[in-house]
Amino acid sequence: MAYIVRKKLDGSALDRWEIKDSPLSFGRGDEADIQIKDERMSRRHFVVGPKDDKFFVRDLNSTNGTFVNNNRITEQELKPNDKIRAGQTVVIFEVEKSKGEVTLINETSGEGKGYKASPGEITKQAKH
């Protein structure tokens, strides 16, 4: 899952928006999907969305521009922890990693639903 996160000065999340199958627009106006009170943002400032199993940010012809890691962009692929700045607002692109095989086995084992063997043992048994 991918998110756009606005953080407080202490680093904790203030707002968190999940990016799903369709793009989300950000801006100060009523027509933006996500409204942010920032007078330096355009009414519809930028959009973030999926394309070809990746995520992109695109400036919507804003007055003051959209910046990713302090570089002005028109459109750019996003990488984890990229900082998007629009007006005086900075948000961060975060990707929640899918749980690995070991984590899932350990979690279900703790609930009494999983395997007691490690992935290495499972692999060894499959080879014999």
Side-chain angles (χ1 to χ4, degrees), residues 94-112:
E94 293 184 352
V95 177
E96 186 177 282
K97 294 180 183 176
S98 60
K99 294 181 180 182
E101 186 178 311
V102 173
T103 303
L104 289 173
I105 289 173
N106 288 340
E107 284 180 356
T108 56
S109 293
E111 298 169 2

Side-chain angles (χ1 to χ4, degrees), residues 17-36 41-49 58 60:
W17 302 282
E18 184 177 358
I19 307 300
K20 296 184 180 179
D21 297 335
S22 58
L24 278 181
S25 63
F26 292 77
R28 64 177 167 83
D30 292 338
E31 57 274 10
D33 297 320
I34 306 298
Q35 297 166 7
I36 297 175
M41 285 182 82
S42 295
R43 287 181 184 88
R44 284 188 75 235
H45 199 103
F46 68 92
V47 65
V48 176
R58 182 172 38 93
L60 298 174

Side-chain angles (χ1 to χ4, degrees), residues 82-96:
D82 275 351
K83 291 180 175 76
I84 303 167
R85 180 170 51 90
Q88 295 180 340
T89 301
V90 176
V91 294
I92 300 167
F93 176 70
E94 293 184 352
V95 177
E96 186 177 282

Side-chain angles (χ1 to χ4, degrees), residues 44-96:
R44 284 188 75 235
H45 199 103
F46 68 92
V47 65
V48 176
K51 183 167 47 170
D52 301 326
D53 294 328
K54 298 176 183 176
F55 290 89
F56 288 82
V57 59
R58 182 172 38 93
D59 183 74
L60 298 174
N61 298 317
S62 64
T63 302
N64 295 318
T66 300
F67 297 78
V68 175
N69 301 326
N70 293 322
N71 297 310
R72 190 172 185 149
I73 59 101
T74 52
E75 183 174 39
Q76 180 171 322
E77 180 183 342
L78 289 169
K79 303 289 184 199
N81 300 314
D82 275 351
K83 291 180 175 76
I84 303 167
R85 180 170 51 90
Q88 295 180 340
T89 301
V90 176
V91 294
I92 300 167
F93 176 70
E94 293 184 352
V95 177
E96 186 177 282

